[in-house]
Amino acid sequence: MRQSQDQLSERLGYRFKNPELLESALTHRSFGRRNNERLEFLGDALLNFVIARELFDRCPELAEGVLSRLRANLVKGDTLAEVAFELDLGHSLRLGAGARKTGGYRRKSILADALEAVLGAVCLDGGTEAGAAVVQRLFAERLAHLPTEGNLKDPKTRLQEYLQARGALLPIYQLEAVTGPEHDQRFEVSCRVDGAAAPFRGVGASRRDAEQQAASLALLDLEGDV
């Protein structure tokens, strides 16, 4: 069942003066020529600025490089998809028939883009302060519990550093299979690690995602804590 605009507005903590802006933000390009891509562009810029400013104010002791990695962690597609899922945003989207049939309302990239579009719509409807307030509200928990500097490194980097520190050979990644239609493919990758009895297998929507999952499983096995 499609979530109503009133329900979504309640979750956002913002009520639109111009509901058509929200409707545009919820319209995927598969639905028609008038879609949310321009609003996504605006929301992306707003999100990056607000998160950067929040980190700047909250973390006066951190260097620019660490701040950049923290921001990247907070605005990456996976994080945006998580926030969109918390808003039940997928059940508010207007999708074309093909995207609906293939579960587009669950697809991370579509959810992440839609969240940015909604933020852009808030910005146009209520101004940058209103947009910033929504970003701060949606990301409050994540901003209050930022990852440590060590955990900012992706699993592949951490696995490589773990092995190098012990004089072991670097991991070998191999693409094992690609399944599904072209617009919704699943990649399976194996990661062979020096000393491990069997390769670790990861699955993801891209080869990179699958490699990161395989590396995470390898780290979990090697050090007992991802």
Side-chain angles (χ1 to χ4, degrees):
M1 174 180 283
R2 191 164 184 247
Q3 179 180 215
S4 72
Q5 284 198 4
D6 286 343
Q7 290 171 316
L8 179 56
S9 292
E10 185 175 342
R11 287 190 166 105
L12 286 170
Y14 179 82
R15 187 161 296 279
F16 280 81
K17 297 184 285 291
N18 180 3
E20 290 184 4
L21 279 171
L22 179 56
E23 192 75 1
S24 295
L26 297 172
T27 304
H28 185 252
R29 66 176 178 269
S30 64
F31 192 84
R33 290 181 61 187
R34 298 187 64 176
N35 54 61
N36 62 9
E37 289 181 336
R38 284 172 57 83
L39 287 171
E40 176 196 336
F41 166 79
L42 185 61
D44 174 71
L46 173 73
L47 178 65
N48 273 276
F49 172 75
V50 175
I51 293 298
R53 180 59 188 267
E54 285 291 317
L55 293 172
F56 184 87
D57 290 341
R58 289 167 181 261
C59 310
E61 76 287 356
L62 295 183
E64 180 271 341
V66 181
L67 291 172
S68 293
R69 290 196 293 275
L70 280 169
R71 180 183 60 182
N73 181 267
L74 287 167
V75 304
K76 66 182 180 181
D78 284 352
T79 305
L80 300 187
E82 288 172 5
V83 175
F85 183 79
E86 291 163 6
L87 292 169
D88 198 19
L89 196 57
H91 288 107
S92 296
L93 297 177
R94 295 202 297 174
L95 300 167
R100 285 200 309 273
K101 288 179 181 177
T102 57
Y105 68 95
R106 296 190 305 266
R107 200 174 306 159
K108 287 183 179 181
S109 59
I110 290 178
L111 289 171
D113 293 345
L115 178 65
E116 290 181 332
V118 168
L119 295 175
V122 173
C123 186
L124 284 183
D125 190 71
T128 53
E129 288 189 7
V134 171
V135 172
Q136 290 162 345
R137 188 177 304 114
L138 295 180
F139 286 81
E141 186 70 18
R142 290 170 173 84
L143 286 165
H145 300 92
L146 294 169
T148 64
E149 186 174 348
N151 285 335
L152 286 173
K153 295 177 180 177
D154 63 75
K156 284 184 67 176
T157 300
R158 288 160 52 205
L159 176 60
Q160 180 173 316
E161 291 179 351
Y162 178 95
L163 295 171
Q164 285 177 326
R166 288 156 179 79
L169 297 174
L170 294 180
I172 298 174
Y173 297 92
Q174 183 172 332
L175 181 63
E176 299 291 346
V178 181
T179 58
E182 186 175 350
H183 60 272
D184 191 24
Q185 291 182 325
R186 302 294 291 174
F187 294 77
E188 182 178 343
V189 168
S190 64
C191 172
R192 290 173 171 79
V193 176
D194 192 23
F200 302 91
R201 294 184 179 273
V203 178
S206 68
R207 180 169 181 167
R208 180 183 181 280
D209 287 348
E211 289 177 348
Q212 297 289 6
Q213 186 186 77
S216 291
L217 293 173
L219 279 168
L220 185 63
D221 183 77
L222 292 171
E223 62 182 12
D225 181 13
V226 177

